[in-house]
Amino acid sequence: MNNKSWKFKNAAVTALSALLMLSLCGCWSYQELNNYSYVVGLGIDKGSSPGRFRIIEQLAVPSALKKGGGKDGDGGGTESFWNVESDGDTVFATIRDITRKVQRKPFYGHNKVLVFGNEIAREGIFPFIDFFVRDSEPRSTTWLVVAKNKADEILHHKPHLEKIPADKIEKILESHIYTSSYHNIQVREFVENMLSEGQAAVVPIIEIYEQKIIPSESKEEKGGSSRGGDEKKKPDTVLMINNCAVFKDYRMVGQLDNIESRSYSFVTNNAKGGIIVIDSPEGKEKLDIEFYGVKSKIKPIIKDEKPSISVTVKIRCGLADQQSKKNYATPEKLKKIGEKVNAEVKKEIMDCISKSKEMKADIFGFGNEIYRKSPKTWKKLKNNWDEEYKKLDVQVKVEANVEGTATIRSIAKPGEDK
Amino acid sequence: MQLEKGRFSSLELLFLVAGLMQGSIYVSTYTFSNTPRDEWLALLISWSIFLPFALMYLKLSEKYPGDSLVGIHDKVYGGLAGKILSAVYCMYFIISSAMNFRFPSAFLTINFMIATPVIAFAFFLVALCLFATTAGGVETVARLGIFNSVAVVASLLLYLVLLIPKIELPHFFPILDVPPKKLLHSVHIITSEYMGELFVLSSILPYVSDRNLLRKNYFRGISLGNFSFLLVAFLVTGVLGNEAAIFTGPLVETTRLVEVMNINARIEFVFMGFLIITAFYKCLILFYVTLVSITELLALRSYKLFALPLSLLIFSLVMLTNENGPATAAAGRNSWAFVSLIMLMIIPLVTSFVSLMKTAFRKTGR
């Protein structure tokens, strides 16, 4: 071996040793998988005594998951999740306190959802969020939701189709692309909003919805809160996202209903898909317009140091369902439908903006846009932004393009309008 | 005086230069707290400020070919003054090495292996440097550069692709709405610490074999190093925006946000591996330079004699250096930036000036 290749070999050995160093040191802090329990959901409610709060940890039970636990009649018998709670004054201490009840150290790296009880949300979640951003174990990609009542009851609700409530919540949140009627938000985005001067955040609210279905009559909808015996006569319940909470300075200051939440999604470029119900051009029946592509642009305009905002929302949509017997598959009628969509969406967005102005909560980040366009103007406005926001002139322009009528051209009824 | 028979190519110098700069990527937290949105701007300003200094380092080396830093000081300032100045530099190199050995070790224990003491990693790092220098020497140190640079750039590009859905261009705006004091502070840190450290290569430059391409590849190396920093700035600002200012390790936090179809959670471990490699490479360069400088100052025949004592000295200092993260960060952000400015920019400037004056006087015969 010549000298050059020997030196090259030395370099390669050193590089390899440096890589190996990482794995060898790992023996020092090694942890066995079976010494950990895995937190998949975490709830925070007010505690039993004033000033204290309660943390509910939802732990996955891997053995039950493997056997199909958590479902009546499909084997297993053991629940696929285990909720453990503890009261305390600070988050980390309370979380650690749980290890007195759980023999395996909880691991937070796989936590999917963080549920705040309504009371806590209204009082302010600042004291509770720090741990989830600061600590290296929890991930800031965890979803954030607010319970309509208590986080405790949400995490205890046995879900349909899924085995773990946290899984179900995560899947509902991911389904926002089909309605856009709520905005799903991760811890990171929430903190980013809170760090931006004057900006508010929107967090989905989760509740237990009572259905009229009696579980014993429905094979599909087994589970829920109702189980065997007399309980079978109770109405079935499901977890549902309904409305969104508005947070300002880490405190819940109000709510947006589902239509307002959808308008929020339109303006903030978060609407992925959904259905807009409009009156038919004749005004008698309803039409379902499915939108599948939304692009919005917020443009701040500064004139004589006075700011205003121009919002343009472009919607790609199509006729998906109609009650009318008319045939709308003509360019003129589709144009008319488009105009109806424009008017409807514009009205909804304006209503949402008015609602946010009432709450003095800049959920759209208009202040941030003004700052980006003209930091000088923003510096004059920021100290009194709540009032300035109420006075802010916002112009909304909606451009809907109705692209088609799905798989049929005209209504499937003979002798009607063609 | 040359302690090495080994030589390396200017192409390897390119990766050596880039590697030394890339080794500072993991401490970029110092500047993100000042300029979370305008980091790229601070980098470009620093780059333009540093380029004349880089040229000055090269000129010095070209003027005294075959001489390391200690040799240059001897020739410029004369025997005693040169030796005193070289001794001061040796102390600076030792402390700088100790700090740099501590960073990656502390980084690992804070983020991943909480129960492992810092000294465990530091021990492995020092031992590895001892092996690389005594078994290989300058050629091994230089040749490692290509492994390092390829790994760093490839991993940064990979993360760029994975994080594209999370990059938001509005995070970069408004441009230049940063207090001038903070921008200046960032520029100061980047210029004197991230870039100024290239001055330590003065002790390695004599071993470049093809000197005709030295200058070209030296500047290419600086460009590659700066490109890596710009990639980091783009990633961190694009993903975190203003939030970058609150994290102790914004780059780590950025990589933690990678989501690949809900499967590859914790993919940041891959990146952390490369980050540690590049930090190690910087430690290795500093260790080697410290070793040859002390050897030359003490007029020893072989630097291998002093390798073990130096390892023990650095290891001891790692244990004594700043006991907590904020102290390390505060030192890096404030006091060390000034020390580096003096040692890596002002004194070399004075040295160049004295050298020029000496030449001028010699020409005029005075």
Side-chain angles (χ1 to χ4, degrees):
Chain A
M1 194 183 285
N2 63 31
N3 193 40
K4 200 168 182 180
S5 61
W6 167 246
K7 299 281 181 186
F8 198 80
K9 195 183 160 193
N10 264 343
V13 168
T14 311
L16 196 67
S17 309
L19 265 176
L20 278 173
M21 186 192 74
L22 294 169
S23 57
L24 293 173
C25 284
C27 300
W28 199 298
S29 315
Y30 85 100
Q31 292 290 350
E32 295 291 349
L33 270 179
N34 53 8
N35 286 338
Y36 274 107
S37 56
Y38 295 89
V39 179
V40 286
L42 209 140
I44 303 179
D45 273 326
K46 286 206 83 172
S48 49
S49 51
R52 285 170 73 83
F53 59 90
R54 176 167 298 160
I55 283 185
I56 306 103
E57 275 185 8
Q58 184 153 93
L59 306 171
V61 182
S63 55
L65 279 170
K66 199 177 159 190
K67 289 175 191 165
K71 291 270 177 188
D72 289 342
D74 58 353
T78 323
E79 292 294 353
S80 299
F81 65 93
W82 176 33
N83 288 342
V84 197
E85 60 180 41
S86 185
D87 273 26
D89 299 313
T90 57
V91 175
F92 206 3
T94 313
I95 275 172
R96 275 294 160 89
D97 191 53
I98 285 177
T99 51
R100 292 197 295 138
K101 297 165 189 161
V102 182
Q103 61 278 29
R104 301 177 186 183
K105 185 187 173 290
F107 177 73
Y108 299 88
H110 296 296
N111 186 22
K112 294 166 193 276
V113 61
L114 187 55
V115 189
F116 283 103
N118 201 288
E119 263 186 287
I120 285 275
R122 286 186 187 280
E123 279 179 15
I125 61 170
F126 181 74
F128 312 104
I129 211 89
D130 185 273
F131 168 77
F132 299 96
V133 184
R134 186 187 299 270
D135 197 81
S136 63
E137 218 173 84
R139 303 184 80 79
S140 52
T141 47
T142 306
W143 297 113
L144 206 60
V145 289
V146 172
K148 189 182 178 189
N149 297 308
K150 282 185 168 284
D152 176 28
E153 58 188 42
I154 299 295
L155 290 174
H156 276 91
H157 187 273
K158 289 165 195 159
H160 303 293
L161 299 176
E162 307 301 328
K163 291 173 180 172
I164 301 176
D167 270 344
K168 164 141 188 175
I169 298 169
E170 186 189 35
K171 290 212 162 85
I172 304 177
L173 289 170
E174 284 169 355
S175 301
H176 84 111
I177 53 169
Y178 304 114
T179 63
S180 302
S181 62
Y182 48 90
H183 171 64
N184 49 5
I185 187 167
Q186 295 176 335
V187 170
R188 189 195 70 80
E189 192 192 339
F190 180 81
V191 172
E192 190 189 336
N193 284 353
M194 293 295 107
L195 282 174
S196 299
E197 282 176 321
Q199 190 164 349
V202 172
V203 179
I205 297 175
I206 192 159
E207 65 178 54
I208 296 172
Y209 175 74
E210 202 170 275
Q211 302 194 101
K212 297 286 174 276
I213 303 166
I214 305 297
S216 56
E217 291 169 0
S218 165
K219 282 185 180 179
E220 179 69 25
E221 297 290 307
K222 274 195 302 187
S225 63
S226 316
R227 299 270 160 182
D230 291 340
E231 278 187 36
K232 277 187 176 173
K233 285 169 190 164
K234 282 185 185 171
D236 188 28
T237 57
V238 288
L239 285 179
M240 179 176 81
I241 300 279
N242 194 22
N243 304 336
C244 284
V246 174
F247 277 81
K248 199 176 153 191
D249 198 18
Y250 292 94
R251 221 164 47 79
M252 182 177 161
V253 291
Q255 283 189 33
L256 298 178
D257 66 26
N258 292 330
I259 296 293
E260 288 160 350
S261 302
R262 188 176 70 187
S263 301
Y264 168 79
S265 298
F266 275 138
V267 177
T268 54
N269 247 328
N270 285 307
K272 306 289 177 202
I275 310 294
I276 303 165
V277 182
I278 57 164
D279 290 330
S280 65
E282 294 75 29
K284 291 174 188 168
E285 292 94 0
K286 300 279 183 195
L287 303 179
D288 279 345
I289 307 298
E290 183 185 15
F291 61 92
Y292 33 79
V294 178
K295 273 192 179 161
S296 64
K297 199 174 176 188
I298 301 171
K299 196 178 166 195
I301 300 157
I302 317 284
K303 216 173 183 181
D304 303 328
E305 296 204 351
K306 200 174 172 257
S308 63
I309 296 284
S310 157
V311 178
T312 310
V313 181
K314 288 183 179 174
I315 304 173
R316 284 178 60 219
C317 54
L319 177 65
D321 184 23
Q322 66 179 63
Q323 294 175 339
S324 163
K325 291 168 186 170
K326 301 270 180 196
N327 173 22
Y328 295 109
T330 64
E332 299 76 35
K333 285 180 179 169
L334 287 182
K335 201 179 167 194
K336 275 190 177 174
I337 292 174
E339 283 163 8
K340 280 257 173 195
V341 174
N342 290 348
E344 183 66 27
V345 174
K346 184 177 173 177
K347 184 189 162 294
E348 288 174 7
I349 291 174
M350 290 310 287
D351 288 348
C352 180
I353 292 170
S354 300
K355 180 91 171 265
S356 73
K357 283 183 173 181
E358 277 168 32
M359 289 187 267
K360 295 181 183 174
D362 177 11
I363 52 176
F364 305 100
F366 290 151
N368 230 340
E369 294 296 334
I370 293 169
Y371 167 58
R372 280 174 187 145
K373 170 98 179 182
S374 169
K376 236 169 134 185
T377 311
W378 173 246
K379 266 166 203 154
K380 285 179 190 160
L381 298 172
K382 69 176 185 182
N383 292 331
N384 195 29
W385 181 236
D386 285 352
E387 296 307 321
E388 295 290 344
Y389 180 62
K390 279 182 89 170
K391 289 188 278 179
L392 188 69
D393 176 30
V394 184
Q395 299 296 324
V396 178
K397 190 180 173 193
V398 182
E399 294 170 15
N401 181 21
V402 188
E403 293 179 340
T405 55
T407 56
I408 55 172
R409 286 190 290 117
S410 61
I411 188 70
K413 193 172 177 186
E416 294 294 337
D417 183 22
K418 296 284 174 190
Chain B
M1 186 171 93
Q2 290 204 354
L3 294 161
E4 285 266 13
K5 281 180 189 164
R7 293 286 180 275
F8 59 91
S9 69
S10 62
L11 187 69
E12 284 162 340
L13 176 74
L14 187 159
F15 294 109
L16 191 75
V17 169
L20 187 59
M21 286 177 75
Q22 286 164 336
S24 298
I25 277 176
Y26 70 109
V27 289
S28 54
T29 169
Y30 295 168
T31 42
F32 275 108
S33 55
N34 285 331
T35 44
R37 209 175 33 235
D38 301 283
E39 179 76 1
W40 63 274
L41 194 65
L43 278 166
L44 291 179
I45 295 172
S46 306
W47 197 18
S48 54
I49 292 173
F50 179 69
L51 284 178
F53 281 90
L55 192 66
M56 182 186 78
Y57 300 162
L58 279 180
K59 284 258 183 197
L60 255 182
S61 179
E62 282 165 2
K63 199 168 182 189
Y64 303 97
D67 279 315
S68 68
L69 194 61
V70 175
I72 293 171
H73 284 157
D74 282 349
K75 285 186 180 163
V76 174
Y77 296 103
L80 184 65
K83 287 272 186 283
I84 292 170
L85 189 60
S86 296
V88 173
Y89 266 96
C90 286
M91 277 172 65
Y92 171 80
F93 289 156
I94 290 171
I95 298 167
S96 178
S97 300
M99 282 176 81
N100 276 284
F101 273 102
R102 190 178 172 93
F103 288 143
S105 313
F107 168 79
L108 270 172
T109 50
I110 289 167
N111 289 292
F112 302 106
M113 299 173 184
I114 296 156
T116 311
V118 172
I119 53 163
F121 292 107
F123 175 77
F124 278 105
L125 277 176
V126 174
L128 205 53
C129 290
L130 181 65
F131 163 75
T133 44
T134 50
V138 74
E139 283 183 62
T140 301
V141 175
R143 287 206 178 114
L144 267 171
I146 190 156
F147 291 106
N148 172 69
S149 288
V150 168
V152 171
V153 175
S155 59
L156 281 174
L157 289 174
L158 170 75
Y159 276 86
L160 179 68
V161 172
L162 293 172
L163 284 164
I164 278 175
K166 302 214 170 194
I167 291 174
E168 289 179 41
L169 291 179
H171 281 163
F172 292 91
F173 297 96
I175 296 168
L176 261 179
D177 183 51
V178 55
K181 218 174 168 182
K182 284 194 168 183
L183 183 66
L184 190 70
H185 193 188
S186 285
V187 170
H188 174 198
I189 295 169
I190 296 170
T191 317
S192 60
E193 290 192 46
Y194 305 170
M195 296 178 180
E197 264 175 349
L198 290 184
F199 181 63
V200 304
L201 293 183
S202 303
S203 292
I204 295 183
L205 290 178
Y207 303 108
V208 177
S209 53
D210 47 345
R211 295 191 71 85
N212 53 329
L213 291 171
L214 189 146
R215 194 180 278 201
K216 207 177 190 180
N217 282 326
Y218 188 83
F219 282 107
R220 280 178 181 165
I222 294 175
S223 304
L224 182 61
N226 211 39
F227 171 70
S228 311
F229 271 114
L230 282 170
L231 262 180
V232 170
F234 181 71
L235 270 177
V236 173
T237 307
V239 174
L240 296 179
N242 266 344
E243 233 184 323
I246 66 167
F247 292 109
T248 49
L251 183 57
V252 180
E253 197 52 40
T254 307
T255 57
R256 272 162 60 88
L257 295 174
V258 170
E259 287 175 296
V260 186
M261 300 176 82
N262 290 338
I263 302 166
N264 286 330
R266 302 235 146 215
I267 200 171
E268 73 267 18
F269 262 102
V270 180
F271 188 67
M272 292 311 109
F274 292 124
L275 217 53
I276 298 298
I277 299 288
T278 191
F280 156 73
Y281 189 56
K282 186 181 173 187
C283 291
L284 177 62
I285 297 170
L286 289 173
F287 183 86
Y288 177 79
V289 169
T290 312
L291 187 59
V292 290
S293 301
I294 293 174
T295 307
E296 216 178 321
L297 185 69
L298 299 176
L300 298 172
R301 254 185 254 164
S302 166
Y303 63 80
K304 288 176 187 177
L305 288 170
F306 201 71
L308 187 63
L310 180 68
S311 307
L312 293 172
L313 180 65
I314 288 177
F315 182 64
S316 315
L317 281 173
V318 169
M319 288 194 285
L320 297 171
T321 325
N322 310 316
E323 283 178 1
N324 57 57
T328 312
R333 217 175 3 239
N334 303 314
S335 50
W336 198 249
F338 278 99
V339 175
S340 296
L341 182 73
I342 295 165
M343 299 300 288
L344 304 174
M345 300 184 89
I346 295 174
I347 296 180
L349 191 68
V350 174
T351 306
S352 294
F353 182 72
V354 172
S355 164
L356 273 175
M357 294 301 284
K358 273 184 108 173
T359 315
F361 282 139
R362 208 170 291 143
K363 273 183 187 166
T364 52
R366 277 189 279 172

